[in-house]
Amino acid sequence: MNRGRNSLLTFQAPSPSEVGKTVEEFLEYLGGPAWLYFPGENGSRTRALSTLLHGNEPSGVRAVFEWIQSRKRPAVNLVCFIGAVEAALARPYFATRFLPGRKDLNRCFREPFEGPEGDIAAEALSRLRRAKPEALLDLHNTSGTSPCYAVSTRRSPAHESLARLFSRHFILTDLRLGTLMEATEETFPTLTIECGGARDSQSTTVATEGFFRYATADRVVGSDDYEPGMAVLKHPIRVELGDGARVAYRAAPDPDVDITFQPGVDRYNFGEVQAGQVLGWLGARGLSALIAHDAQGRNRIHDIFAARDGTLEVVQRTRFFMITTDPAIARSDCLFYAIPAETPMDQG
C-alpha cells in the first residue's frame, strides 16, 4: 500500500490474511479513505465501485470484504473507492454518518473542493477519470427499512442493465446535491444502488450478490439482450425540515417538536400511499416546518401534504422513498423523497 497525493490510501489486491477476519478488522486495516485495485482476467477493461461514502451504510463495504475473502478474480480490472472509513470506525461501528465538524463526503463532489472531504472527493474523481471505467456503481444503504433500488441522473440501456444486477426499481432524478453520481454522469454510466436498510441483514446479501455479478460478468453494459420489467420513477421531490425545525418519531404528538412522525413510517418506502393517509402530527408551525424542493427549486409541499386538524395528511397518491427514522439524519440531510401520482411511472 502507499499514500496518495492527498489522503487516499492505495491497496493492490489485498489477500484475506491481510485484511482480517471481520469487516471491522478490514476497516482498521484500511485506516482511512482507500483505493483498492484488483487485476482482471481481461486487463484491457476496467469497472469501478464506490461505497461507504457514509459511515453508517455498511452493506457495500461488507460486499467488498466478502469479495476479498472469496479469492475470486474479476472478469476485468476492478477498482474500489471506499470513502468514510474513519466515520465507520467511530464507536459503535457503522453508527456515524460523518464525523462531527466534518462534511458529508457525498455532498463534496463538486467545486470548490474544500477541506478534507473536498480533497478526498477531488482525488477520487481524478483517479476514476484516469481509470476510464466502463461503468461505476456507488453502493449505499437507506437509514430506514426499504427494498433495493437504483438511482441515476440518466436512463439508457446501459443504466438499466446495470440496475438489473441488483433491482427492478429505478429512480431517474434531476436533483443536484454534489454527489459522486452527478460528477461522473457525463464520463461513464454511473448508478447509485440503495441496497436496502442499513440494519437489515438482507441488504448485505443484496449488495454482495449484486457486486459479485458486477465483478464476474463478461459484460455488464452494451448487451443486446433486452429484459422488460423495469419500474422507472421520475423527478423526485426532496422533503426537508425547515430552518430550526425539530422532529421526533413517536406514537403520539410530541409538544416539544414541530413534527412528529408515527413510528415505523419507513414501512411506506417504495409503497404507494393514498390521499388521506396521515403520517404524523404538526406543531404550531404547521406545514411551514417542512420544505419540499424539486429540481427547479420550487417548494412543492402543498402538492404532497395538507395540515388537517393538527395532522400531516397526504393530499394525493404519492410514492415515498428513502424515509429515515433517525432524527439526526432528518436534521442533517432530509426526511425523505416523494414522487406524486401526477408523475407517471414507466414500465420498461
Side-chain angles (χ1 to χ4, degrees):
M1 93 183 159
N2 58 74
R3 184 174 293 276
R5 178 173 53 84
N6 292 309
S7 53
L8 207 59
L9 300 173
T10 301
F11 298 83
Q12 299 284 339
S15 68
S17 62
E18 291 178 288
V19 302
K21 297 180 179 179
T22 67
V23 71
E24 291 81 7
E25 290 180 0
F26 176 41
L27 292 175
E28 295 282 0
Y29 167 76
L30 297 178
W35 179 268
L36 281 64
Y37 173 78
F38 302 90
E41 297 287 351
N42 180 344
S44 68
R45 293 154 49 205
T46 299
R47 292 173 199 152
L49 179 122
S50 170
T51 195
L52 204 68
L53 297 190
H54 297 129
N56 62 341
E57 299 177 6
S59 290
V61 74
R62 292 184 188 279
V64 175
F65 176 72
E66 291 300 324
W67 172 259
I68 294 170
Q69 297 297 313
S70 76
R71 300 180 183 269
K72 290 181 179 291
R73 188 172 184 181
V76 303
N77 297 333
L78 178 66
V79 295
C80 298
F81 166 50
I82 302 177
V85 173
E86 294 162 296
L89 284 171
R91 304 299 177 90
Y93 294 118
F94 298 117
T96 303
R97 186 176 176 88
F98 53 91
L99 294 173
R102 301 280 288 272
K103 296 179 180 179
D104 183 331
L105 177 58
N106 205 32
R107 301 295 181 267
C108 294
F109 288 92
R110 61 185 173 191
E111 295 182 343
F113 295 107
E114 297 177 334
E117 286 72 33
D119 288 345
I120 294 164
E123 187 178 352
L125 286 175
S126 177
R127 292 192 184 204
L128 284 166
R129 287 163 180 157
R130 289 200 304 270
K132 298 179 180 179
E134 61 190 23
L136 167 63
L137 296 181
D138 184 21
L139 303 189
H140 285 258
N141 288 111
T142 56
S143 60
T145 296
S146 171
C148 177
Y149 57 92
V151 186
S152 182
T153 58
R154 299 191 175 194
R155 182 186 180 189
S156 72
H159 289 84
E160 290 197 21
S161 65
L162 289 166
R164 285 190 181 91
L165 295 170
F166 294 83
S167 176
R168 297 280 175 160
H169 297 293
F170 189 106
I171 293 174
L172 184 64
T173 181
D174 48 2
L175 294 169
R176 296 296 182 267
L177 302 171
T179 65
L180 172 59
M181 174 179 64
E182 298 158 30
T184 59
E185 63 185 353
E186 295 183 2
T187 312
F188 32 79
T190 304
L191 264 76
T192 294
I193 304 293
E194 297 286 351
C195 298
R199 296 182 179 88
D200 298 340
S201 60
Q202 180 62 24
S203 301
T204 295
T205 302
V206 168
T208 301
E209 292 180 352
F211 174 47
F212 274 55
R213 285 190 287 269
Y214 178 64
T216 59
D218 180 57
R219 293 282 177 185
V220 293
V221 295
S223 172
D224 293 331
D225 296 332
Y226 175 74
E227 296 181 45
M230 182 67 68
V232 181
L233 296 167
K234 300 177 180 178
H235 311 311
I237 296 168
R238 180 179 166 92
V239 182
E240 306 175 25
L241 293 170
D243 289 343
R246 295 164 298 172
V247 64
Y249 297 85
R250 301 233 175 26
D254 185 335
D256 296 325
V257 303
D258 301 288
I259 180 164
T260 307
F261 285 102
Q262 297 171 349
V265 68
D266 56 340
R267 68 184 181 275
Y268 296 119
N269 268 322
F270 250 92
E272 194 169 83
V273 179
Q274 301 300 314
Q277 178 66 53
V278 172
L279 299 189
W281 301 272
L282 295 166
R285 291 176 60 174
L287 280 180
S288 67
L290 299 174
I291 300 172
H293 283 142
D294 63 15
Q296 289 72 46
R298 299 172 296 186
N299 187 357
R300 302 275 302 279
I301 195 66
H302 294 288
D303 292 338
I304 306 169
F305 293 117
R308 307 276 190 210
D309 299 321
T311 67
L312 181 70
E313 183 177 295
V314 179
V315 297
Q316 63 168 303
R317 188 163 46 88
T318 303
R319 288 183 179 271
F320 295 96
F321 64 96
M322 212 176 287
I323 299 173
T324 186
T325 55
D326 185 328
I329 292 176
R331 290 191 299 269
S332 66
D333 191 46
C334 73
L335 292 161
F336 44 76
Y337 293 82
I339 301 179
E342 66 188 40
T343 307
M345 179 174 67
D346 291 350
Q347 292 285 347

